[in-house]
Every structure is written in C-alpha cells, then in structure tokens.
Amino acid sequence: MNNVALTVLPETMLLTTENSSKEEQHVAGIKGEEQNPDQDSNKKLSNTNLVLTSLVAGAMAGALAKTVIAPLDRTKINFQISNRNFSSREAIRFLVNSHRRDGFLSLWRGNSATMARIVPYAAIQFSAHEQWKRILEVDKPGEKPSPWLRMIAGSLAGVTSQSLTYPLDLARARMAVTDRLRYKSIVTVFVKIWKDEGPKTLYKGYTPTILGVIPYAGISFFTYETLKKRHADLTNEKPNAIERLIFGAVAGLFGQSSSYPLDIVRRRMQTASVTGVKYRTVIGTLIRVYREEGLIRGLYKGLSMNWIKGPISVGISFATFDTMQVFLRQLPLFRDK
C-alpha cells in the first residue's frame, strides 16, 4: 500500500503542475489580449498580407468618413480662407445658398479630389501606423506599451502619408473654394498649377501641414489606442463597433484641437493664388491672421464646426478601419497556408 501511495503521489503532483502551467498560459494569453485587443486577427498572416489588409481597410475607412462630412468640410474651408466671421448661422446660410445656387450635389464639390487624396492618404496612414508600431515595438509581448512610443508611431504615420499625398490635398482645397468654371476636374487643377504657378506650388503650405500633422496624428492615434487598451484591461473583451466609434470621436476631438491654427495657415497658403492674398511663411501667416482677425475669430475660426465634423470623421474612420481590418484578415485570401 505504501509503495502504491508513493507511486501515485508523483503522478498527482505532475498533473497538478501541468494544470497550473496551463492556467498560467491561459492567464498570460488574456493579458496579451488586453495589451492588444485586435492581435488575434494577426495570427498566421505574413507581413505582406498585414500591409495589404491595412491598406484596403484604411482606404475604405477614409473614403466613408470623408464622404459623410464633405459638406461640413467644404463650409469650413470657405470660412478658413476668408476674413468673414464664422458662426453656426453663417455656416448654415452658406450651405443653404450653395444648395440654392448650384444644387444639392454642389455641397460635395471637391469631393472627387478629396477621394483621390483620402483613399491613398488613409490607406498609407493606417498601414504606416501598423508598420511603425512594429518597428518601434509598441505592442511588444510581455511588456507594457510605452505611451510615448504610441504617440511617436502615430506622428510618423501622419508625416509619411501627408508627405506622399500632399499635392492631392492642395488640389482638393483649390476645388473646394472655386466654382466649376475655374477647375473642372482634379486633373485641370494640376495642369493649371503646373503651367501658371510652377511645380513648386504643388507643395505650397507643406511646412505648416507637417507641423500640424505631427501633434494631430500623434494625439489621435495615441488617444484611440490608449482607450482601446484601457477598455480591454477593464472588461477583458474587445470593444464593439459603437465603442470604437466613441473612442475615435474622442481621439478626433483632441487631435483636431491640438493643431487647428496650423490648419488655418495651411489653407491660407494653399489658396493664396485663388484669394489674391499673399501668404509667404508660416510665422508670417500666423502673425498676419492674428493681427487682422484675432485669436478666436482668426486662428481658431471654424473650430466649433471642427468639433462637430472632426469627431464624426475620425470616429467613423477608426471604427471602420478596425472592423474591416479584422474582417479582411479572417478571409482565406489573406491567410497563410
């Protein structure tokens, strides 16, 4: 009997040890999910397929978000480039007058240029963000993510995408503030700028744009990723579509507010030849707008509209990207065999 007991005891200890090990692995797995709620969909995918799915999901997210808020975007740009005082009443009046004068679809004037820009811009930005996170090891397994690295990855993603698509942003701004007779299509914008103003004009306003996108993209991605991780820590579950939309809206609110004066400078410099007002440098434009129009009615003109359209746009963009990315990465087309 004693020999039997001695024989059984080690086996019992072995089973207990195995069960304990499995429990530890299960707990570790949960913690890993809490650190990166969407990491499950990345398994069995090569880096090429990770990039492809990010590009497609990003393009779809950007197109949907910008189409939804296009009328508000056009209204904001028209006030940004002029000396007119902004108010909700004046914004509504602009929308109504545009509808009466040029028809309902005029509210989406310049949206073709926006799509030509935002599809590659959003695709590159989201894909670049995934790659910068990988390079900087933002979500390194077993380690707590660094807030600073998370923000840097977002900023670098913004700089990457903005640098590669900037001429399209300039063309979109030109089309948004002119009638159909001046620029009939996005191709016409590029042809006329190249002939009349020179190729350098295609990057006019680039400096304030990059200075603005660094805090904007950094804070937006940082806020969204932080809220997702915090949600996972508290609930041990992935956020649903509505929660992602809310997280994105909060991220957009903070991101838009952080860099708005530079957005004013960017638009003034991009449309200088259209409005007939010369804006040569970033500092010079900031000083001139402040002196002539003030802080609130000048450098922060239209910010209240941005607080409406920004959270809507960014919320839709982030939520759509995450949802489509998870969906695409589950398709057999992108799964490694």
Side-chain angles (χ1 to χ4, degrees), residues 29-231:
I30 293 176
K31 288 182 178 179
E33 288 178 2
E34 289 174 1
Q35 286 185 349
N36 190 349
D38 295 323
Q39 207 167 31
D40 289 348
S41 61
N42 298 350
K43 294 176 180 179
K44 297 183 180 179
L45 264 74
S46 65
N47 192 54
T48 300
N49 284 335
L50 290 174
V51 172
L52 286 174
T53 51
S54 294
L55 285 170
V56 175
M60 296 173 70
L64 178 60
K66 279 298 183 181
T67 299
V68 170
I69 56 95
L72 296 177
D73 217 18
R74 182 169 184 246
T75 304
K76 183 200 73 170
I77 293 173
N78 274 273
F79 278 95
Q80 281 184 325
I81 66 163
S82 68
N83 293 325
R84 288 179 295 169
N85 291 330
F86 176 84
S87 67
S88 298
R89 180 179 296 178
E90 289 298 318
I92 294 172
R93 184 176 296 173
F94 173 82
L95 288 168
V96 171
N97 289 340
S98 296
H99 176 261
R100 287 176 179 172
R101 186 176 62 250
D102 301 317
F104 180 70
L105 292 180
S106 69
L107 299 177
W108 276 266
R109 172 160 175 74
N111 198 48
S112 59
T114 301
M115 289 299 102
R117 170 196 172 252
I118 200 61
V119 168
Y121 175 84
I124 294 170
Q125 184 181 49
F126 280 110
S127 181
H129 182 243
E130 295 288 307
Q131 293 304 304
W132 281 118
K133 284 200 302 181
R134 183 179 64 83
I135 293 169
L136 297 174
E137 298 184 334
V138 175
D139 293 323
K140 193 173 183 179
E143 294 184 10
K144 186 177 180 180
S146 167
W148 290 109
L149 285 179
R150 197 177 286 166
M151 186 173 289
I152 290 170
S155 295
L156 288 172
V159 171
T160 302
S161 57
Q162 192 67 256
S163 298
L164 293 174
T165 63
Y166 184 78
L168 293 168
D169 184 44
L170 184 140
R172 169 239 183 179
R174 291 285 182 96
M175 290 187 73
V177 300
T178 56
D179 55 33
R180 299 175 186 175
L181 297 176
R182 180 151 189 171
Y183 298 119
K184 294 181 179 180
S185 67
I186 189 172
V187 176
T188 308
V189 179
F190 287 124
V191 171
K192 285 193 173 184
I193 289 176
W194 190 280
K195 287 182 177 180
D196 301 340
E197 304 172 49
K200 287 184 179 180
T201 305
L202 293 174
Y203 274 86
K204 191 168 187 179
Y206 174 77
T207 301
T209 300
I210 293 301
L211 292 176
V213 82
I214 290 172
Y216 169 70
I219 291 174
S220 295
F221 276 108
F222 164 78
T223 304
Y224 182 69
E225 293 291 324
T226 300
L227 289 174
K228 278 204 309 181
K229 299 297 188 298
R230 184 61 177 163
H231 176 278

